[in-house]
Amino acid sequence: MPATPSQPPEPAAEPGEPVLEVRDLAKLYPLTQGVVFKRQVGAVKAVDGVSFELRRGETLGVVGESGCGKSTLARLLVNLERPTAGEVRYRGEDITKLSGRALKAVRRNIQMVFQDPYTSLNPRMTVGDIIGEPFEIHPEVAPKGDRRRKVQELLDVVGLNPEYINRYPHQFSGGQRQRIGIARGLALNPEIIICDEPVSALDVSVQAQVVNLLARLQEEFALSYLFIAHDLSVVRHISDRVAVMYLGRFAELGTGTEIYDHPTHPYTQALLSAVPVPDPESREGRERILLAGDVPSPANPPSGCRFRTRCWKAEDRCAVEVPPLAVPPAFQAPGGPAAHPSACHFAGAV
Amino acid sequence: MSCAEEQPAVPRLLDVRDLRVEFRTRDGVTEAVSGVSYGVDAGRTLAVLGESGSGKSVTAQAIMGILDSPPAFVTGGRILFQGRDLLELGEEERRRVRGARMAMIFQDALSALNPVVSVGAQLAEMYEVHQGLSRRAARARAVELMDRVRIPAAKERAGDYPHQFSGGMRQRIMIAMALALEPDLIIADEPTTALDVTVQAQVMDLLAELRREYDMGLILITHDLGVVADVADTIVVMYAGRIVETAPVRDLYRRPAHPYTRGLLDSVPRLDGDRGRELYAIKGLPPGPADLPPGCPFTPRCPRAQDICRTERPPLYEVAYGDAAYGDAPAKRTSACHFWKDELDARDAIAAP
């Protein structure tokens, strides 16, 4: 492809090799009281002990309801927020400790596509300036004289007319704007793109276009995606592996088939049963699990298992013991459909 | 049962006929709704499906009589509600219908509720104004109502303000408010779009249950093909200010009679679908009301477009077509596609084993 600019600084990782390793990542936002003498009265545990790895060329989907911490997770991974604890290793280096030039170099390889195509583009900049801005910060990627051509190539890659380079964001529709955001994310030829709800603001018919574009780009540029969304059908479609997040923690992690066809965590089961299916007939055979109540506040999460207050399987044990995210002993024979980590005491007892 | 029936003996609950709405702005006049006809009976659910800009919400606002005029004006058609044409009523009469006989649920509960009045007082106000109840009696009714939509600890929470409730609870309060005067018709405009899936299911279930209990008509406006599959009896699909297809819910999903409907159905990723397969995507973008192509407005995006589509605007054809293979009686459907028959048959070819 024409838009493959300079080589990454180090030899590219092999397919399947982890490019991003996350260990016990946590982010607490302090809650304070008082004006002059601020006292900390608590903390919102937005992300509370998340570990996973993102492999080269794969898409890891993260699903969860609003307030579960999935957007905070995204911001931690691109170092827009500093974590309270834990580490994010990119090529073996903990990027949460980096600053200055070292951080800048790493950021080149981890880019982000935002949810809202209306607020994530500067209305006073032309499309050419928006997509070309990363080159200002990382001039080594594209020398000055070459930038206009690079931007036009990027426009072409995401399916926009390269002649639109001098237009402003308001002259584009939502789907086209999201393409501009994607082109900006691609500009520095990153290895990893963090997509935070990239299609949820789009109309159904346009959503499919953008999902297909993301899939095509992944293949073309061997990108790794962390794909955050609340729409379980879209996540299944695009992801190799899926993590289900609830109140700052992963409840379950596995391949699409493992999560969608053999969920072992009650929350995943409830979430899946609640998804509206665009087919009145398939619906009738399905059992629906209606969860009671809302997600508890992350400032005051339940003890033990976070899901226990809405769980129909909850027992005394769940209030005391935090279930680890591990493969249930009953399914530890490899290759079985349920042999994937699940943070439930009763995951093996289905 | 479905749309446009021949002069029924008992007037339908709501019968919209050939409704037209124009937006008159400094940049010119554009037609946002161009001849829309649909109806709903007591105890039934009609879903109006469409993407942003399709005119689905403008139609609903015209029915409720809450269009922003100017710039929007109803320029034609009739809105028959229990046999009376609402467009002929004066503003005072219209107001008596609104709220008491028909009510609306909005998408964004936080901006639809008054932020500086407690929810109990907002609900009570309905009874004080419309039924002349005393403050005390109205308050009691408000708490009853909050209980009815299953807000936990309703009595204690009646004094809370909208921002103190979660999104799902706020939407329940909206529903309670719409329900307060036991209207005959409820119009819900994207009632669950802002909610999480688990909460979405709770709210849809509540709406369906209340509709049955009070024998109300329900118009559900949405862009989500999944949400309506469960609850609707009849579906109307809108595109660029027009109806492109009307059908009983099962027929529409099983065998759409318009390429746009089929495109929508195919472009939604399925929970049980294959990963890796490219999603079907409708090419291009929906047209704005100012740059509608002549002929069929879907032509530029349509895989089936022929010369006739570019020049001749298709009428809403009657599609008398039940799915005999599934033992259905022929159902009354309509489609605004010159080639609706081909579209139906195409579905056959795919569905055939």
Side-chain angles (χ1 to χ4, degrees):
Chain A
M1 245 352 265
T4 318
S6 60
Q7 290 298 309
E10 288 165 56
E14 293 293 310
E17 191 177 303
V19 285
L20 204 65
E21 290 166 89
V22 175
R23 291 279 159 265
D24 302 318
L25 197 64
K27 178 72 188 174
L28 311 183
Y29 293 100
L31 291 171
T32 55
Q33 222 168 46
V35 181
V36 184
F37 301 102
K38 277 196 179 163
R39 294 176 295 128
Q40 188 174 336
V41 292
V44 175
K45 295 175 180 154
V47 174
D48 192 10
V50 165
S51 303
F52 65 91
E53 57 189 35
L54 181 65
R55 300 174 195 143
R56 182 164 181 82
E58 84 162 346
T59 302
L60 175 66
V62 178
V63 289
E65 298 179 273
S66 47
C68 75
K70 53 194 196 301
S71 289
T72 306
L73 178 64
R75 295 172 65 81
L76 288 170
L77 296 182
V78 292
N79 225 322
L80 283 172
E81 302 266 6
R82 297 273 172 174
T84 316
E87 52 189 35
V88 178
R89 289 190 171 276
Y90 169 74
R91 294 175 174 280
E93 195 176 17
D94 185 3
I95 65 168
T96 62
K97 305 278 191 307
L98 298 181
S99 61
R101 190 169 300 167
L103 177 61
K104 195 169 135 184
V106 166
R107 275 197 169 140
R108 219 201 89 185
N109 289 305
I110 308 174
Q111 290 287 313
M112 188 154 175
V113 173
F114 297 90
Q115 170 174 9
D116 185 350
Y118 292 88
T119 55
S120 60
L121 303 177
N122 188 335
R124 310 229 265 183
M125 281 165 80
T126 65
V127 169
D129 291 338
I130 290 171
I131 300 174
E133 197 177 20
F135 299 137
E136 302 276 332
I137 301 156
H138 298 273
E140 74 279 6
V141 180
K144 240 190 172 119
D146 200 26
R147 286 188 194 155
R148 196 179 160 82
R149 192 183 57 80
K150 275 258 154 65
V151 170
Q152 287 184 324
E153 273 176 14
L154 284 165
L155 281 171
D156 190 49
V157 166
V158 299
L160 290 173
N161 188 342
E163 285 163 26
Y164 290 170
I165 188 164
N166 290 324
R167 294 199 180 184
Y168 288 89
H170 74 263
Q171 293 170 291
F172 294 90
S173 69
Q176 289 173 320
R177 286 182 205 219
Q178 203 53 296
R179 287 171 192 267
I180 296 169
I182 292 170
R184 176 175 60 185
L186 278 176
L188 298 173
N189 196 27
E191 266 189 272
I192 301 165
I193 296 191
I194 313 288
C195 307
D196 188 5
E197 304 258 14
V199 296
S200 47
L202 306 177
D203 268 323
V204 187
S205 72
V206 180
Q207 186 176 314
Q209 295 173 359
V210 174
V211 167
N212 285 342
L213 172 70
L214 285 170
R216 180 170 65 77
L217 294 174
Q218 176 165 45
E219 205 150 294
E220 231 164 72
F221 300 112
L223 297 166
S224 307
Y225 287 147
L226 187 90
F227 191 94
I228 295 175
H230 67 271
D231 185 328
L232 288 117
S233 318
V234 171
V235 167
R236 162 138 219 198
H237 181 82
I238 200 160
S239 306
D240 300 293
R241 293 189 303 145
V242 177
V244 181
M245 206 168 170
Y246 188 78
L247 272 183
R249 289 193 188 143
F250 280 1
E252 193 166 0
L253 177 67
T255 64
T257 318
E258 285 168 352
I259 296 291
Y260 285 83
D261 300 338
H262 305 278
T264 56
H265 196 287
Y267 177 60
T268 315
Q269 292 164 359
L271 206 56
L272 285 171
S273 86
V275 175
V277 173
D279 182 352
E281 282 159 57
S282 83
R283 182 99 240 190
E284 282 153 13
R286 294 196 329 152
E287 191 200 340
R288 291 181 69 197
I289 306 164
L290 267 192
L291 285 183
D294 288 308
V295 184
S297 159
N300 185 20
S303 64
C305 173
R306 299 250 159 125
F307 184 59
R308 69 178 168 85
T309 51
R310 299 172 80 195
C311 185
W312 64 98
K313 287 184 182 165
E315 292 178 10
D316 293 346
R317 179 184 174 194
C318 302
V320 192
E321 268 176 69
V322 178
L325 182 66
V327 180
F331 298 129
Q332 265 167 0
H340 60 273
S342 173
C344 175
H345 293 305
F346 309 109
V350 186
Chain B
M1 186 191 142
S2 69
C3 68
E5 229 116 288
E6 300 293 320
Q7 293 299 325
V10 187
R12 303 192 74 179
L13 176 60
L14 178 77
D15 193 358
V16 179
R17 293 193 191 161
D18 200 30
L19 186 73
R20 285 171 189 278
V21 179
E22 266 180 17
F23 278 81
R24 297 179 191 150
T25 62
R26 252 194 307 185
D27 301 329
V29 178
T30 51
E31 200 167 51
V33 177
S34 316
V36 162
S37 305
Y38 61 60
V40 65
D41 295 307
R44 312 294 293 185
T45 303
L46 172 81
V48 181
L49 196 70
E51 296 181 274
S52 43
S54 62
K56 57 189 195 302
S57 295
V58 176
T59 312
Q61 286 166 7
I63 295 169
M64 277 301 285
I66 54 170
L67 276 177
D68 280 327
S69 303
F73 296 92
V74 176
T75 52
R78 298 205 286 167
I79 301 172
L80 300 170
F81 181 67
Q82 295 168 329
R84 274 199 302 176
D85 189 350
L86 294 182
L87 294 173
E88 284 168 5
L89 299 184
E91 190 47 46
E92 196 47 46
E93 278 176 291
R94 193 83 192 261
R95 185 179 301 158
R96 272 201 289 273
V97 173
R98 187 164 53 223
R101 303 267 56 88
M102 58 163 76
M104 191 153 176
I105 296 167
F106 298 91
Q107 171 178 349
D108 184 3
L110 191 57
S111 58
L113 295 170
N114 188 337
V116 295
V117 178
S118 72
V119 298
Q122 286 187 61
L123 287 166
E125 190 186 357
M126 307 274 293
Y127 294 113
E128 287 175 45
V129 172
H130 282 271
Q131 298 183 346
L133 293 189
S134 73
R135 176 159 294 192
R136 208 192 168 82
R139 247 321 161 67
R141 293 288 297 275
V143 172
E144 243 168 65
L145 204 56
M146 285 172 67
D147 235 4
R148 187 69 207 78
V149 295
R150 294 200 215 102
I151 290 173
K155 199 159 185 199
E156 290 78 54
R157 299 218 66 185
D160 284 356
Y161 292 86
H163 73 269
Q164 292 169 296
F165 289 85
S166 68
M169 287 298 147
R170 279 200 289 265
Q171 204 53 272
R172 284 165 196 268
I173 292 163
M174 285 283 293
I175 293 174
M177 207 157 215
L179 213 65
L181 304 170
E182 298 183 18
D184 303 307
L185 174 70
I186 284 194
I187 302 176
D189 191 355
E190 306 263 12
T192 60
T193 305
L195 306 178
D196 283 316
V197 274
T198 55
V199 182
Q200 200 171 23
Q202 297 167 359
V203 170
M204 284 314 297
D205 273 23
L206 176 68
L207 257 182
E209 180 197 316
L210 294 170
R211 192 213 72 222
R212 274 194 301 275
E213 193 180 314
Y214 292 95
D215 198 33
M216 300 178 297
L218 176 65
I219 297 180
L220 199 62
I221 297 168
T222 181
H223 69 278
D224 189 328
L225 291 142
V227 167
V228 292
D230 264 352
V231 291
D233 299 303
T234 307
I235 295 195
V236 165
V237 183
M238 285 186 73
Y239 185 77
R242 291 176 177 76
I243 290 178
V244 293
E245 179 165 5
T246 314
V249 64
R250 279 166 165 268
D251 296 285
L252 185 111
Y253 284 88
R254 188 186 288 154
R255 207 182 243 185
H258 195 285
Y260 175 62
T261 316
R262 174 204 284 253
L264 281 184
L265 286 171
D266 288 351
S267 61
V268 185
R270 298 284 297 262
L271 213 49
D272 50 3
D274 307 327
R275 182 193 129 71
R277 179 184 56 92
E278 183 158 293
L279 278 181
Y280 175 82
I282 304 177
K283 60 182 180 185
L285 301 167
D291 46 63
L292 274 189
C296 170
F298 189 58
T299 310
R301 308 178 73 192
C302 183
R304 209 175 271 289
Q306 309 276 326
D307 284 344
I308 182 179
C309 306
R310 280 178 261 280
T311 50
E312 222 172 283
R313 184 148 286 171
L316 209 52
Y317 292 105
E318 292 254 330
V319 180
Y321 209 96
D323 226 327
Y326 293 84
D328 285 4
K332 207 165 200 178
R333 316 176 45 173
T334 57
S335 163
C337 177
H338 292 301
F339 301 102
W340 60 267
K341 196 139 192 21
D342 296 339
E343 192 59 54
L344 281 176
D345 293 345
R347 201 49 155 193
D348 260 355
I350 294 166

